[in-house]
Amino acid sequence: MQTLAPYILTHFRLCPFSRSIRLSLAELGLEPVLVEEPFWEWRPAFLGLNPSGELPVLQLPDHVTLAGVYAISEFLAEEPQLPGAARGLELLPRTREDRAEARRLIDWFQHKFDREVSRDLLNEKVYRRLRDGNAAPPDTELMRAIRANLRYHIGYIGFLADQRRWLAGDDMTFADLAAAAQLSSLDYLGEVPWNDYPAAKAWYVRLKSRKSFRPLLADRIPGFAPAPDYANLDF
Amino acid sequence: MQTLAPYILTHFRLCPFSRSIRLSLAELGLEPVLVEEPFWEWRPAFLGLNPSGELPVLQLPDHVTLAGVYAISEFLAEEPQLPGAARGLELLPRTREDRAEARRLIDWFQHKFDREVSRDLLNEKVYRRLRDGNAAPPDTELMRAIRANLRYHIGYIGFLADQRRWLAGDDMTFADLAAAAQLSSLDYLGEVPWNDYPAAKAWYVRLKSRKSFRPLLADRIPGFAPAPDYANLDF
């Protein structure tokens, strides 16, 4: 009997891109070996795995390396039934038009949201301290701008969630996982004003209650306690 | 006889994302109607087309709207022979592993390069002036950092071009078009130190000499004269 080599995911616990792939793999019933990478150290061994220095990286049982969330998510979407996967999952919709709509939203949350909110927020509150041991408080002016941006983005999720069952349409897609992954990282830091956005909150509660979300809710970063409601399903 | 409705591409002449799609459509033998959008004005009509406010947007003959370079490029890659296209083109390679490698590089040039080089550079030298009529010179410190980053990225293109015929392997893919589009925008501004990177230059010369590149080389932005060698194939 041959055993399948494991899927190996190189990630960081609070990295939203890594989280979107952890969610996807969990939805497929795959349990990758997780290897945590302090990507801010630019370790040569990690740059050998992904020269861009970006997370996550997925190594497949056949030793193919998928570098970055774009390559990984499209790979997973192309073959819903992966070796070793307990179940299939369509990460992208079936029709080309619906796929284009899902990709519009994936782009939004992986890039626009990242650029306008989470990259700077995680840097101010987490990465800067991990990198430099610099305990200087976050820049007040910058945090104000980021939080205003965040409200605009949650408002947009609420707008979509008001009209559709899932962000891109009738079915859950990678757009939901990408958006929820971004928000979950900020939720760990207590930064999401859920109560002002009931439709967005209802959408997030549905995702947060899924089995695939549990490992994320169990994450703890030493030195950074999660917000009180982070793992609470009734918040 | 029915005539096909036109492809309509909403773009901006110096926008690297728009340019990567203009190149792709030209390679397919499609001549879209070009509509130029001053995206920095956040016009409500444009936000109706793409709520993220990002370029480009492609409207298909059947009136499907594809918003953003990710949705457009994957759509074009999924069906190499589009209605009205003079020829097919495989924007992504045939095997899943090769597609993952192409997507790793597309991600690199559409996002990492954009974040570390072209977004700020275009903003400092072009968009800020178009938006505010602000003729203050670019920030010297920032420009120095951007130019150092640019050298790192061209070095990486040279590294790839030294080992492979095209950036992602034996065949031209969207990774080449995405990278060349980014560099062409900076080349308009005379910012690319080609002569220090002969392998990268040789790769770019091959792309610049293609028929699909000609419309880009004919672009002129009022108030911003192109660098002397911008349209020169022997530079």
Side-chain angles (χ1 to χ4, degrees), chain A residues 42 50-54 62 64-71 73-76 78-79 82 92 96-97 99-104 106-108 111-112 114-116 119 152 156, chain B residues 42 50-54 62 64-71 73-76 78-79 82 92 96-97 99-104 106-108 111-112 114-116 119 152 156:
Chain A
W42 297 88
N50 187 4
S52 78
E54 291 177 9
D62 58 4
V64 167
T65 295
L66 306 175
V69 72
Y70 174 34
S73 62
E74 287 286 342
F75 191 98
L76 298 180
E78 279 176 0
E79 194 174 315
L82 284 162
L92 289 175
R96 295 172 75 199
E97 292 75 9
R99 277 199 295 282
E101 174 63 1
R103 286 179 175 132
R104 174 179 81 80
I106 293 164
D107 201 15
W108 184 300
H111 299 295
K112 184 179 171 73
D114 180 68
R115 197 170 60 236
E116 298 177 356
R119 181 172 294 260
Y152 154 77
Y156 189 56
Chain B
W42 297 88
N50 187 4
S52 79
E54 292 177 9
D62 58 4
V64 168
T65 296
L66 307 175
V69 71
Y70 174 34
S73 62
E74 287 286 342
F75 191 97
L76 297 180
E78 278 176 0
E79 194 174 315
L82 284 162
L92 289 174
R96 295 172 75 198
E97 290 77 8
R99 277 199 295 282
E101 174 64 0
R103 285 177 176 135
R104 174 180 80 80
I106 293 164
D107 202 15
W108 184 301
H111 299 295
K112 184 178 171 73
D114 181 68
R115 196 171 62 235
E116 298 177 356
R119 180 172 295 260
Y152 155 76
Y156 190 55

Side-chain angles (χ1 to χ4, degrees), chain B residues 2-22:
Chain B
Q2 278 203 313
T3 351
L4 201 67
Y7 289 76
I8 303 172
L9 185 72
T10 304
H11 80 127
F12 181 72
R13 269 168 283 180
L14 273 191
C15 162
F17 305 114
S18 302
R19 287 182 159 223
S20 71
I21 298 303
R22 286 168 68 197

Side-chain angles (χ1 to χ4, degrees), chain B residues 79-153:
Chain B
E79 194 174 315
Q81 189 67 56
L82 284 162
R87 52 193 164 274
L89 170 70
E90 287 180 349
L91 281 175
L92 289 174
R94 286 186 187 202
T95 75
R96 295 172 75 198
E97 290 77 8
D98 290 349
R99 277 199 295 282
E101 174 64 0
R103 285 177 176 135
R104 174 180 80 80
L105 294 170
I106 293 164
D107 202 15
W108 184 301
F109 291 105
Q110 301 289 39
H111 299 295
K112 184 178 171 73
F113 185 90
D114 181 68
R115 196 171 62 235
E116 298 177 356
V117 181
S118 52
R119 180 172 295 260
D120 286 340
L121 197 154
L122 288 167
N123 193 46
E124 284 300 305
K125 291 189 84 166
V126 180
Y127 297 145
R128 206 150 55 89
R129 271 172 62 190
L130 289 170
R131 191 175 57 226
D132 310 327
N134 179 352
D139 180 303
T140 316
E141 198 68 31
L142 181 55
M143 287 301 295
R144 189 177 297 130
I146 292 169
R147 285 175 181 140
N149 289 346
L150 175 56
R151 286 187 166 268
Y152 155 76
H153 283 278

Side-chain angles (χ1 to χ4, degrees), chain A residues 70-179:
Chain A
Y70 174 34
I72 299 171
S73 62
E74 287 286 342
F75 191 98
L76 298 180
E78 279 176 0
E79 194 174 315
Q81 189 67 55
L82 284 162
R87 51 193 165 272
L89 170 70
E90 286 180 349
L91 281 175
L92 289 175
R94 285 186 189 203
T95 75
R96 295 172 75 199
E97 292 75 9
D98 291 349
R99 277 199 295 282
E101 174 63 1
R103 286 179 175 132
R104 174 179 81 80
L105 295 170
I106 293 164
D107 201 15
W108 184 300
F109 291 104
Q110 301 289 39
H111 299 295
K112 184 179 171 73
F113 186 90
D114 180 68
R115 197 170 60 236
E116 298 177 356
V117 181
S118 52
R119 181 172 294 260
D120 285 340
L121 197 155
L122 287 167
N123 193 47
E124 285 299 305
K125 291 189 83 166
V126 181
Y127 297 145
R128 207 150 54 89
R129 270 173 61 192
L130 289 170
R131 193 174 55 226
D132 310 327
N134 179 352
D139 181 302
T140 316
E141 198 67 32
L142 181 55
M143 287 301 294
R144 190 177 297 129
I146 292 169
R147 286 175 179 138
N149 288 347
L150 175 56
R151 286 187 166 270
Y152 154 77
H153 284 277
I154 307 179
Y156 189 56
I157 290 177
F159 167 79
L160 294 169
D162 246 352
Q163 302 177 64
R164 301 168 172 178
R165 178 157 166 71
W166 296 96
L167 294 187
D170 289 338
D171 299 309
M172 190 184 78
T173 67
F174 188 62
D176 297 282
L177 303 183

Side-chain angles (χ1 to χ4, degrees), chain A residues 11-84:
Chain A
H11 80 126
F12 182 72
R13 269 168 283 180
L14 273 191
C15 161
F17 305 115
S18 302
R19 288 183 158 222
S20 71
I21 298 303
R22 287 169 68 197
L23 288 173
S24 302
L25 294 172
E27 288 286 340
L28 288 159
L30 286 167
E31 289 182 23
V33 173
L34 293 174
V35 178
E36 190 146 61
E37 177 64 35
F39 64 93
W40 55 88
E41 292 181 8
W42 297 88
R43 297 187 320 110
F46 176 56
L47 295 178
L49 203 57
N50 187 4
S52 78
E54 291 177 9
L55 290 172
V57 175
L58 183 63
Q59 292 167 279
L60 303 178
D62 58 4
H63 307 295
V64 167
T65 295
L66 306 175
V69 72
Y70 174 34
I72 299 171
S73 62
E74 287 286 342
F75 191 98
L76 298 180
E78 279 176 0
E79 194 174 315
Q81 189 67 55
L82 284 162

Side-chain angles (χ1 to χ4, degrees), chain B residues 36 48 73 129-130 141 147 161 168 173 188 204 217 219 224:
Chain B
E36 190 145 62
S73 62
R129 271 172 62 190
L130 289 170
E141 198 68 31
R147 285 175 181 140
T173 67
Y188 186 97
Y204 188 69
L217 301 180
D219 279 346
F224 300 85

